[in-house]
């Protein structure tokens, strides 16, 4: 029998994690902020009001569709905090400070997790699949998750490389456009590329993400 590449039930990271939908939601608040900010003659109040209103509307829709209330509240809290910072400093570009800070923290966390041999992609997917830490006892899966996690590090680095100069220059409109361009499209690309790296990193005979081939020795930390 000819060995083929693993295909775990035809799934992908996008299907397992729902990342594209979450990323699409994340673009609507900044888009609303930008439109209202420009339409209101560069009014921060208009911008943050529109962003909060759109985020609340999305949250209500998600809850009605059965999504977890906690996830919706976290998203709303992020927008509210960003709005309060911008209103407090009277600098419209500060609406994006939280987003920039969380991307910097995420880049660091993902890189450190790989070095500690607890790649966050494995942690997240393992939790979704109900595997706890069993995937770490599969050397092939641990290696593949580590390689694929670097793709996620790079998405945060790319955003920071674009956003930080715009933030320091006070280019609010450019921040709005770049946030939209670097959220859903980049997450979609990251999901696809990391899935490709994952599949290419696993041996042809490996049964896939749902079926770790457990080593008798625990993975080193």
């Amino acid at each position: 029998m000819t060995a083929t590449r693993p295909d775990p039930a035809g799934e992908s990271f996008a299907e397992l994690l729902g990342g594209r939908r979450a990323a699409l939601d994340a673009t609507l608040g900044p888009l609303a902020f930008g439109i209202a900010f420009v339409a209101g003659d560069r009014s921060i109040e208009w911008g943050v009001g529109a962003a909060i209103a759109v985020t609340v509307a999305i949250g209500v829709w998600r809850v009605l569709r059965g999504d977890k209330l906690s996830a919706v509240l976290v998203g709303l809290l992020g927008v509210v905090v960003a709005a309060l910072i911008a209103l407090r400093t009277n600098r419209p570009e500060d609406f994006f400070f939280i987003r920039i800070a969380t991307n910097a923290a995420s880049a660091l966390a993902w890189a450190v997790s790989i070095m500690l041999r607890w790649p966050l992609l494995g942690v997240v997917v393992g939790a979704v699949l109900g595997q706890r830490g069993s995937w770490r006892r599969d050397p092939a899966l641990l290696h593949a998750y580590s390689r694929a996690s670097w793709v996620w590090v790079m998405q945060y680095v790319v955003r920071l490389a674009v956003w930080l100069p715009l933030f320091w220059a006070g280019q609010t409109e450019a921040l709005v456009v770049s946030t939209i361009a670097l959220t859903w499209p980049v997450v979609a690309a990251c999901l696809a590329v990391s899935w490709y790296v994952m599949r290419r990193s696993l041996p042809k005979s490996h049964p896939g993400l749902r079926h770790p081939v457990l080593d008798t020795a625990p993975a080193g930390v």
Side-chain angles (χ1 to χ4, degrees):
M1 181 181 295
T2 303
T4 58
R5 285 279 170 195
D7 186 7
E11 292 169 310
S12 68
F13 288 148
E15 293 167 324
L16 286 171
L17 305 179
R20 290 173 180 167
R21 184 186 67 185
L24 182 60
D25 288 351
T27 64
L28 298 179
L31 177 60
F33 175 86
I35 292 174
F37 177 71
V38 173
D41 194 21
R42 298 181 63 82
S43 168
I44 297 177
E45 291 79 6
W46 277 51
V48 299
I52 292 173
V54 167
T55 304
V56 169
I58 294 172
V60 171
W61 182 57
R62 290 297 183 202
V63 170
L64 292 176
R65 292 190 63 207
D67 287 3
K68 292 182 179 179
L69 178 61
S70 58
V72 171
L73 291 177
V74 168
L76 177 60
L77 178 62
V79 173
V80 170
V81 171
L84 291 175
I85 292 174
L87 290 171
R88 175 69 176 175
T89 63
N90 200 34
R91 286 163 40 95
E93 63 270 24
D94 284 351
F95 178 79
F96 298 89
F97 174 79
I98 292 294
R99 189 172 294 253
I100 293 171
T102 55
N103 273 262
S106 296
L108 179 61
W110 279 75
V112 170
S113 77
I114 298 168
M115 295 175 186
L116 294 178
R117 294 174 62 79
W118 273 94
L120 281 177
L121 187 58
V123 173
V124 173
V125 175
V128 171
L129 296 179
Q131 295 172 339
R132 300 189 179 183
S134 63
W135 56 270
R136 292 189 70 243
R137 295 173 57 193
D138 181 338
L141 267 182
L142 178 59
H143 172 70
Y145 276 128
S146 296
R147 291 191 63 191
S149 289
W150 282 115
V151 179
W152 290 70
V153 174
M154 288 308 301
Q155 74 158 328
Y156 299 119
V157 171
V158 167
R159 290 196 190 104
L160 292 172
V162 175
W163 289 345
L164 283 173
L166 296 176
F167 179 77
W168 288 328
Q171 297 295 318
T172 304
E173 291 88 348
L175 279 168
V176 172
V177 174
S178 62
T179 295
I180 296 168
L182 295 177
T183 303
W184 186 89
V186 170
V187 170
C190 182
L191 288 165
V193 174
S194 61
W195 179 242
Y196 174 80
V197 171
M198 185 80 189
R199 287 168 61 91
R200 296 294 298 178
S201 298
L202 287 174
K204 290 183 178 181
S205 59
H206 197 281
L209 306 186
R210 292 186 177 273
H211 307 286
V213 181
L214 302 184
D215 193 351
T216 55
V221 295

